[in-house]
Amino acid sequence: MTMRRDFSEPGRCRSDLVIGREEPFTAACEQLGRGGSVLLHGPAGIGKSTVLRALAAEYGGAARTVLRCSATESESHLPFLALADLFGLVLDEVSGKLPAAQRTALESALTGRGESTLQRDGLALRLAVLSALRALATDGPVLIVADDVQWLDPASAELLGFAARRLGDTPVRMLCAVRTEGQEYDRHLRASPPDTLAVRLGPLSRTQVSALLDHRGYTGLPRSTVREIHRTSGGNPLFALELGRALAENPTPPRPGEPLPVPTSLRALVLSRLEMLSDEARHTLLVASAGARPTTALLLAAGRENAEADTARAAELGLLATEPEGPTVRFAHPLISAALYAEAPAHQRRAAHAALSTAASDPIERARHLALATIGTDPDVAARLAGAAALARDRGAPSVAASLGLLAARHTPADSVPGPDERRLLAAEDAITAGEVDLARDIAREVLTVATVPADRVRAWMVVIEAAGQALGDVDAVFPQALADAGDDPGLLALVHYQLAWRALVVEGDFAEGRVEAAHAADLAARAGDRRTELLALAFQAQAETLMGHPDAPATIKRALKEPQDPQVACHHNGAGSTRFRWLLMSDELPEARRTVTSLLREVRRRGMVESEVHFLRLLAETELRSGHCGRALDLARESLRLARDSGIGEVAAAMLTSLAEASGGSVDQALALAREAVEHAEEDGDQIYVSRALAALGYVQLVAGDAQGTVGSLRRVRELEQGLGVTDPARGRWHGDLAEALVRIGEPAEAQDVIDVTREQAMRLGRESVLAVLDRAEALVRAARGEHEAALAQLTSVQDRLAKLGYGLEEARAAFESARLRAGRPGPASYDEAARLFRRCRALPWLRQVDAAVAAGPSVRPAVPAAAPAALDALEGLASMERQVAALVMEGATNREIAGRLFISVKTVEATLTRVYRKLGIRSRVDIVRLAAGRHAR
């Protein structure tokens, strides 16, 4: 197939055209953009043709001639077929430009006329192909696009290779794709131009498989199912899509523990070689496919007497690969195991599991196989499964425990104690621990349709609430139903009021109400003897009091840490250990905070507590960031974000922290994108806590990016949100110094000083030394803006020393940078060496780039503080009635919320009115209104 186009420049590489292939796609784009050739290679179904089409679409427009061929196995015996595909439509155009012998040879090969072959007219035909390409290239670049090169007929492949090796500087590029196993692409590379880049396409990650399934319309799949699709497909996109299609067409999705349905198309693809095995060998492989970690010894113990010979034969056929350094029997691809199992009749599967239920050495595996070999309810089997679930839970495998718990519920008779609902709920709670919230929610809803026991119903409601994560507003209707089911039972009421505490915080943004609800829940739990809920409620109360700056916080933390402790609560991200960490971090005890969170992270990993792992990775990253270890913080933050997105847990918090880490040690552009994503998602969830935290992160990133005006806008919103939330401890978000600095940079030193003064009072009351030091750094900028250079330099020197002693490496470096910038604005030499050294020690790359820019810019003078225009003083009299009322209340120091309450209007109306006031007066802030009023009275 041939296409002709007018010459044009290549388009921009659009890596989003191919899901999960950004890196190889970009590498191929760059190679083609340089005028080179590309050879894509990888196993069947890995997506080579998709990437090839995307690249051809991207760069086809830059070529005047595009020659295409796509070979198939069934046609590979036909000589010169690929050559005919490539040159058939341009033969008339180029034949007249070829010497007679070459023209005759090429026409004979393409049309089948005459007796010309490679053997008879070999040199003439080879030269004809080379000359034809050169002739086409005289009118503009030529792009050869060849798919499935492994099926090219040998004659065409040989001719293309001959020409490719001799093209030299001729503007002919080749874009080819070939099926390979491992790295077996050398012979194809030798048939390509010398500058060809070989790009291997490997398996997709679980997140990429999920994105691919969503893109193709297979949405709404539980994360556990997506994980199983990824495992079974081995990350192969074709296999993953076929499995997704089979699930979409299956009216009854597989239950946890059951294999995925493997469509006939994939079974035929991977099992064609099974026909070469004996029936006994096939049965041996079936037993291996049913086992979790099959070995030759396990197969022998399961009654497969010829296991060694059977597996050796399977390995010869490429179905099986025996581990070279161990006895494990491994299928060449996970899909072979899944297809083999799906192909077997049900009675043969049960027989395989029955054999493994006695042969397996691990009690968890024995119980699982026993369940899969049993039909109907059986109290003994159920009890063994429940015991295996408990063992898995103790081993730190809550996902396995959830699967076993569901199997136990399935085999539990309706009149048993514990009953099937109770076992389902325990499985749902294990699923929550494992981060499988979709599965947990589905189990809870199933229980709620049949359960009548109040305790079971309340536990199910709690699972639904937990599964909602930060989007508690989405389950508002659950709380009244849960309270009704709880009745007057103090233990059940404690569960509900603990969740109401979270609702008050997340949905209402009310720390005070959350604290009251948590204290009530702790009292109820203590009356009921529910130490676990009591500890969680006390930890919540302590955290709320800490952020509120409440004097009872230390005493509540001690109560939450008092024995006896629940081991799982002790390391939970909402437990007392986490609260103590937060207290240490806010109190500038960075080394102890790091030890605490590292210990917590180690324990939750041991227990398989995915949600807590996401949070503790983030908190450890925050600790490293405070300590000035920006590279380490960035690695941890990115790991937390990957895990959060993979599990669907804590994504807003992870994105928020990763944006801070990127702005400090990575990419500012990526930081801006993550911060805005965090703000958007927090607002969608209605989570007032993380709206303020995400905006604080955005403000910092904007400051690093040089957008002081944007910083002021974001952090003013944070200030209003925290006033509404009741947060008074400035160590919670540490945004106050950034706001003050940004205000100075936009010419608002008076408002900056006001922020500093108010925050300093709170920080002094709570003993927040690092906050005080950062505020002093901002105050030095205010002094410099007023012309007090010597005082500002002395203050910055003191700040740098204090921050160094406290261990805040990045803040110390920022103080040194401000000192250098201030000296650069004065007569005499200035050096940025100290700031550069400190930023380099922190691996604070964005800040280092600011130092380089400052050095390159040379000496500069800070802008003077703009004075109010005299004409603006008289403008106060020309405001509309509502505008004058709002301005008058601003002069009294009222907040927007207070103004709205006194004038019986909304906060948004206040904000809109102030915007009009600013525009009419030619000013930019509330402080300017006060300044103008003072100027008017002075006259």
Side-chain angles (χ1 to χ4, degrees), residues 543-575:
Q543 184 168 338
E545 290 172 350
T546 298
L547 297 178
M548 294 168 65
H550 197 285
D552 291 348
T556 308
I557 291 175
K558 287 182 181 178
R559 285 179 63 198
L561 291 169
K562 188 178 179 181
E563 295 293 340
Q565 286 289 313
D566 180 293
Q568 189 160 356
V569 173
C571 65
H572 194 274
H573 61 279
N574 288 328

Short mmCIF file of all heavy atoms in Angstrom, two decimals, residues 543-575:
data_model
loop_
_atom_site.label_atom_id
_atom_site.label_comp_id
_atom_site.label_asym_id
_atom_site.label_seq_id
_atom_site.Cartn_x
_atom_site.Cartn_y
_atom_site.Cartn_z
N GLN A 543 -5.56 13.85 67.72
CA GLN A 543 -5.11 14.52 66.49
C GLN A 543 -5.88 15.82 66.27
O GLN A 543 -5.30 16.84 65.89
CB GLN A 543 -5.28 13.59 65.30
CG GLN A 543 -4.73 14.18 64.02
CD GLN A 543 -4.65 13.15 62.90
OE1 GLN A 543 -4.61 11.96 63.15
NE2 GLN A 543 -4.62 13.62 61.67
N ALA A 544 -7.19 15.78 66.51
CA ALA A 544 -7.98 17.00 66.35
C ALA A 544 -7.50 18.08 67.32
O ALA A 544 -7.35 19.25 66.95
CB ALA A 544 -9.46 16.69 66.58
N GLU A 545 -7.26 17.69 68.56
CA GLU A 545 -6.81 18.66 69.56
C GLU A 545 -5.44 19.22 69.20
O GLU A 545 -5.16 20.41 69.42
CB GLU A 545 -6.79 18.01 70.94
CG GLU A 545 -8.19 17.73 71.48
CD GLU A 545 -8.19 16.92 72.76
OE1 GLU A 545 -7.12 16.39 73.14
OE2 GLU A 545 -9.26 16.80 73.38
N THR A 546 -4.58 18.37 68.64
CA THR A 546 -3.25 18.83 68.23
C THR A 546 -3.35 19.92 67.17
O THR A 546 -2.72 20.98 67.26
CB THR A 546 -2.43 17.65 67.70
OG1 THR A 546 -2.25 16.68 68.74
CG2 THR A 546 -1.07 18.11 67.20
N LEU A 547 -4.16 19.68 66.16
CA LEU A 547 -4.28 20.64 65.06
C LEU A 547 -5.02 21.90 65.49
O LEU A 547 -4.81 22.98 64.94
CB LEU A 547 -4.99 19.98 63.87
CG LEU A 547 -4.24 18.79 63.25
CD1 LEU A 547 -5.04 18.18 62.13
CD2 LEU A 547 -2.87 19.22 62.75
N MET A 548 -5.92 21.77 66.48
CA MET A 548 -6.63 22.93 66.99
C MET A 548 -5.79 23.75 67.95
O MET A 548 -6.18 24.85 68.34
CB MET A 548 -7.90 22.48 67.74
CG MET A 548 -8.95 21.83 66.86
SD MET A 548 -10.25 21.02 67.84
CE MET A 548 -10.99 22.43 68.66
N GLY A 549 -4.63 23.20 68.33
CA GLY A 549 -3.84 23.87 69.36
C GLY A 549 -4.50 23.78 70.73
O GLY A 549 -4.29 24.65 71.59
N HIS A 550 -5.31 22.74 70.94
CA HIS A 550 -6.04 22.57 72.18
C HIS A 550 -5.09 22.16 73.31
O HIS A 550 -4.23 21.30 73.13
CB HIS A 550 -7.13 21.51 72.00
CG HIS A 550 -8.20 21.53 73.04
ND1 HIS A 550 -8.00 21.07 74.31
CD2 HIS A 550 -9.49 21.97 72.98
CE1 HIS A 550 -9.11 21.20 75.01
NE2 HIS A 550 -10.04 21.75 74.22
N PRO A 551 -5.25 22.74 74.50
CA PRO A 551 -4.32 22.42 75.60
C PRO A 551 -4.42 20.98 76.08
O PRO A 551 -3.49 20.48 76.73
CB PRO A 551 -4.73 23.40 76.71
CG PRO A 551 -6.13 23.81 76.36
CD PRO A 551 -6.21 23.79 74.88
N ASP A 552 -5.54 20.28 75.79
CA ASP A 552 -5.69 18.90 76.26
C ASP A 552 -4.98 17.88 75.39
O ASP A 552 -4.97 16.68 75.71
CB ASP A 552 -7.17 18.52 76.33
CG ASP A 552 -7.91 19.25 77.43
OD1 ASP A 552 -7.22 19.88 78.28
OD2 ASP A 552 -9.15 19.22 77.44
N ALA A 553 -4.38 18.32 74.28
CA ALA A 553 -3.81 17.37 73.32
C ALA A 553 -2.77 16.43 73.95
O ALA A 553 -2.86 15.20 73.77
CB ALA A 553 -3.20 18.11 72.14
N PRO A 554 -1.77 16.91 74.71
CA PRO A 554 -0.79 15.98 75.29
C PRO A 554 -1.43 14.92 76.19
O PRO A 554 -1.05 13.74 76.14
CB PRO A 554 0.15 16.90 76.07
CG PRO A 554 0.00 18.24 75.43
CD PRO A 554 -1.43 18.31 75.02
N ALA A 555 -2.41 15.33 76.99
CA ALA A 555 -3.06 14.38 77.90
C ALA A 555 -3.85 13.33 77.11
O ALA A 555 -3.86 12.14 77.47
CB ALA A 555 -3.99 15.13 78.85
N THR A 556 -4.51 13.75 76.04
CA THR A 556 -5.28 12.79 75.24
C THR A 556 -4.35 11.82 74.53
O THR A 556 -4.66 10.62 74.40
CB THR A 556 -6.15 13.53 74.21
OG1 THR A 556 -6.93 14.52 74.88
CG2 THR A 556 -7.09 12.57 73.51
N ILE A 557 -3.21 12.30 74.06
CA ILE A 557 -2.23 11.40 73.43
C ILE A 557 -1.77 10.35 74.44
O ILE A 557 -1.66 9.15 74.11
CB ILE A 557 -1.03 12.19 72.89
CG1 ILE A 557 -1.46 13.06 71.70
CG2 ILE A 557 0.10 11.26 72.46
CD1 ILE A 557 -0.37 13.96 71.17
N LYS A 558 -1.54 10.75 75.68
CA LYS A 558 -1.13 9.79 76.71
C LYS A 558 -2.22 8.74 76.95
O LYS A 558 -1.95 7.55 77.11
CB LYS A 558 -0.81 10.52 78.02
CG LYS A 558 0.50 11.29 77.98
CD LYS A 558 0.79 11.95 79.33
CE LYS A 558 2.09 12.74 79.28
NZ LYS A 558 2.37 13.43 80.57
N ARG A 559 -3.46 9.18 76.96
CA ARG A 559 -4.58 8.24 77.12
C ARG A 559 -4.62 7.25 75.96
O ARG A 559 -4.86 6.06 76.16
CB ARG A 559 -5.91 8.98 77.20
CG ARG A 559 -6.19 9.70 78.50
CD ARG A 559 -7.54 10.41 78.42
NE ARG A 559 -8.65 9.45 78.24
CZ ARG A 559 -9.85 9.80 77.80
NH1 ARG A 559 -10.10 11.06 77.47
NH2 ARG A 559 -10.79 8.88 77.69
N ALA A 560 -4.38 7.76 74.75
CA ALA A 560 -4.42 6.90 73.57
C ALA A 560 -3.26 5.90 73.55
O ALA A 560 -3.37 4.83 72.95
CB ALA A 560 -4.40 7.74 72.31
N LEU A 561 -2.16 6.24 74.22
CA LEU A 561 -0.99 5.36 74.24
C LEU A 561 -0.97 4.43 75.46
O LEU A 561 -0.09 3.59 75.58
CB LEU A 561 0.30 6.20 74.23
CG LEU A 561 0.59 6.95 72.92
CD1 LEU A 561 1.73 7.94 73.12
CD2 LEU A 561 0.93 5.97 71.81
N LYS A 562 -1.95 4.58 76.32
CA LYS A 562 -1.99 3.79 77.55
C LYS A 562 -2.31 2.33 77.25
O LYS A 562 -3.07 2.01 76.35
CB LYS A 562 -3.04 4.39 78.50
CG LYS A 562 -3.06 3.78 79.89
CD LYS A 562 -4.10 4.49 80.76
CE LYS A 562 -4.15 3.88 82.15
NZ LYS A 562 -5.18 4.55 82.99
N GLU A 563 -1.71 1.42 78.00
CA GLU A 563 -2.01 0.00 77.87
C GLU A 563 -3.37 -0.31 78.47
O GLU A 563 -3.82 0.40 79.38
CB GLU A 563 -0.92 -0.83 78.57
CG GLU A 563 0.46 -0.70 77.93
CD GLU A 563 0.53 -1.31 76.53
OE1 GLU A 563 -0.35 -2.14 76.20
OE2 GLU A 563 1.44 -0.92 75.78
N PRO A 564 -4.04 -1.38 78.02
CA PRO A 564 -3.59 -2.31 76.97
C PRO A 564 -3.82 -1.73 75.59
O PRO A 564 -4.76 -0.97 75.37
CB PRO A 564 -4.48 -3.53 77.20
CG PRO A 564 -5.75 -2.96 77.76
CD PRO A 564 -5.34 -1.80 78.61
N GLN A 565 -2.94 -2.11 74.68
CA GLN A 565 -3.02 -1.64 73.30
C GLN A 565 -3.51 -2.77 72.39
O GLN A 565 -3.30 -3.94 72.68
CB GLN A 565 -1.65 -1.16 72.82
CG GLN A 565 -1.21 0.19 73.39
CD GLN A 565 -2.02 1.33 72.81
OE1 GLN A 565 -2.23 1.43 71.61
NE2 GLN A 565 -2.47 2.24 73.69
N ASP A 566 -4.16 -2.40 71.33
CA ASP A 566 -4.53 -3.35 70.29
C ASP A 566 -3.40 -3.32 69.25
O ASP A 566 -3.11 -2.25 68.71
CB ASP A 566 -5.86 -2.94 69.64
CG ASP A 566 -6.30 -3.89 68.54
OD1 ASP A 566 -5.61 -3.94 67.50
OD2 ASP A 566 -7.33 -4.57 68.73
N PRO A 567 -2.76 -4.45 68.95
CA PRO A 567 -1.59 -4.43 68.05
C PRO A 567 -1.87 -3.80 66.69
O PRO A 567 -1.03 -3.07 66.16
CB PRO A 567 -1.23 -5.92 67.91
CG PRO A 567 -1.80 -6.57 69.12
CD PRO A 567 -3.05 -5.81 69.45
N GLN A 568 -3.06 -4.06 66.13
CA GLN A 568 -3.34 -3.52 64.81
C GLN A 568 -3.65 -2.03 64.88
O GLN A 568 -3.22 -1.26 64.00
CB GLN A 568 -4.52 -4.26 64.16
CG GLN A 568 -4.72 -3.89 62.70
CD GLN A 568 -5.51 -4.92 61.94
OE1 GLN A 568 -5.87 -5.95 62.47
NE2 GLN A 568 -5.80 -4.64 60.68
N VAL A 569 -4.33 -1.59 65.92
CA VAL A 569 -4.59 -0.15 66.07
C VAL A 569 -3.30 0.60 66.33
O VAL A 569 -3.12 1.73 65.85
CB VAL A 569 -5.61 0.09 67.20
CG1 VAL A 569 -5.76 1.58 67.47
CG2 VAL A 569 -6.95 -0.52 66.84
N ALA A 570 -2.38 -0.02 67.06
CA ALA A 570 -1.13 0.66 67.42
C ALA A 570 -0.35 1.10 66.18
O ALA A 570 0.34 2.12 66.20
CB ALA A 570 -0.28 -0.26 68.29
N CYS A 571 -0.45 0.32 65.10
CA CYS A 571 0.29 0.68 63.89
C CYS A 571 -0.61 1.20 62.79
O CYS A 571 -0.14 1.47 61.68
CB CYS A 571 1.09 -0.53 63.39
SG CYS A 571 0.06 -1.91 62.84
N HIS A 572 -1.89 1.37 63.06
CA HIS A 572 -2.83 1.86 62.05
C HIS A 572 -2.57 3.34 61.76
O HIS A 572 -2.14 4.10 62.64
CB HIS A 572 -4.26 1.68 62.57
CG HIS A 572 -5.33 1.83 61.54
ND1 HIS A 572 -5.85 3.06 61.19
CD2 HIS A 572 -5.97 0.93 60.77
CE1 HIS A 572 -6.77 2.90 60.26
NE2 HIS A 572 -6.87 1.61 59.99
N HIS A 573 -2.85 3.75 60.53
CA HIS A 573 -2.57 5.15 60.18
C HIS A 573 -3.48 6.13 60.91
O HIS A 573 -3.19 7.33 60.94
CB HIS A 573 -2.68 5.36 58.67
CG HIS A 573 -4.04 5.08 58.12
ND1 HIS A 573 -4.47 3.80 57.83
CD2 HIS A 573 -5.07 5.89 57.79
CE1 HIS A 573 -5.69 3.85 57.36
NE2 HIS A 573 -6.09 5.10 57.33
N ASN A 574 -4.58 5.64 61.49
CA ASN A 574 -5.43 6.49 62.32
C ASN A 574 -5.28 6.17 63.80
O ASN A 574 -6.12 6.59 64.60
CB ASN A 574 -6.90 6.35 61.91
CG ASN A 574 -7.19 7.00 60.57
OD1 ASN A 574 -6.57 7.99 60.22
ND2 ASN A 574 -8.11 6.42 59.81
N GLY A 575 -4.23 5.43 64.15
CA GLY A 575 -4.02 5.03 65.54
C GLY A 575 -3.15 6.01 66.31
O GLY A 575 -2.70 7.03 65.79
#
